Amino acid sequence: MATPDKVDAVKEITDKLRNSHAAVVTAYTGLSVAQLKDLRRSLGGNAQYRVVKNTLTKIAAKEAGLDQLDEHLQGSTAVAFVTGDPVEAAKGLRDFAKDNPALVIKGGVLDGKTLTAAEINQLADLESREVLLAKLAGGMKASMAKAAATFQAPLSKFVRTADALRDKREQGGAGTPDPADAAE
């Protein structure tokens, strides 16, 4: 029979899994309390890092529809529940793991898709969401300017040609008879 504490813990983990954009499962054996505090601080408001019980987390993952997390829930386990930008959280975890080899990224999920530890490291190599959006906007602006120049080119060519013909006429244009003069 499940105790009320365990039922509440499963419900809380299930809610966190459902409300997160991503969840990264890690092994933390060998990290001190101070190091875990530093890790939580490095993730900032972007993610919440919690030590979890594997059995309760397996039940919560099943209830949240994330059965694929089961394979990572062995040994000492902590989960980073990412509610903000997954790239920033992945960078924070990767950078902390470089300085503290006791932290091992096991895997995770991103919007329901299973991620390996290598894929999480690749995610960490991406630029932040803001930078990617800025690059996209710059590319779109450049494309629009190029399109505007392309559409404007025939009109400006016509105007230059008309100006050249007018200049030639004003200079006397003796070689070409004026059709209006021939009609008189």
Side-chain angles (χ1 to χ4, degrees):
M1 179 167 267
T3 65
D5 290 343
K6 290 182 181 179
V7 171
D8 290 343
V10 168
K11 184 181 179 321
E12 183 182 349
I13 295 169
T14 303
D15 288 343
K16 287 188 182 303
L17 287 170
R18 285 184 179 149
N19 296 326
S20 299
H21 297 294
V24 181
V25 180
T26 64
Y28 66 92
T29 304
L31 291 176
S32 68
V33 172
Q35 289 172 318
L36 286 173
K37 189 175 183 180
D38 288 342
L39 173 58
R40 286 184 176 105
R41 194 175 309 121
S42 72
L43 294 175
N46 195 30
Q48 184 180 20
Y49 190 76
R50 276 206 46 208
V51 174
V52 295
K53 292 197 174 280
N54 291 333
T55 308
L56 300 179
T57 306
K58 284 181 184 181
I59 295 168
K62 189 172 190 169
E63 287 181 15
L66 300 172
D67 293 333
Q68 62 268 40
L69 281 180
D70 284 358
E71 66 187 76
H72 303 299
L73 298 172
Q74 298 167 359
S76 62
T77 305
V79 179
F81 299 100
V82 183
T83 53
D85 185 8
V87 173
E88 286 183 40
K91 282 182 184 183
L93 288 167
R94 181 200 56 195
D95 294 346
F96 188 86
K98 281 182 185 176
D99 296 335
N100 302 283
L103 180 74
V104 177
I105 298 172
K106 296 180 179 181
V109 292
L110 173 63
D111 292 327
K113 182 190 177 291
T114 306
L115 297 176
T116 64
E119 289 172 326
I120 292 170
N121 284 326
Q122 287 176 341
L123 184 65
D125 291 337
L126 290 176
E127 294 174 329
S128 73
R129 182 176 189 271
E130 289 78 21
V131 171
L132 292 174
L133 287 174
K135 284 184 176 183
L136 177 66
M140 289 174 66
K141 182 179 177 186
S143 296
M144 296 293 254
K146 190 175 180 181
T150 301
F151 293 136
Q152 189 177 2
L155 181 61
S156 62
K157 184 176 180 182
F158 172 75
V159 169
R160 284 193 306 273
T161 305
D163 283 345
L165 284 173
R166 186 173 13 96
D167 288 347
K168 188 174 182 182
R169 241 191 202 160
E170 288 174 358
Q171 291 175 359
T176 8
D178 190 359
D181 292 339
E184 289 178 6

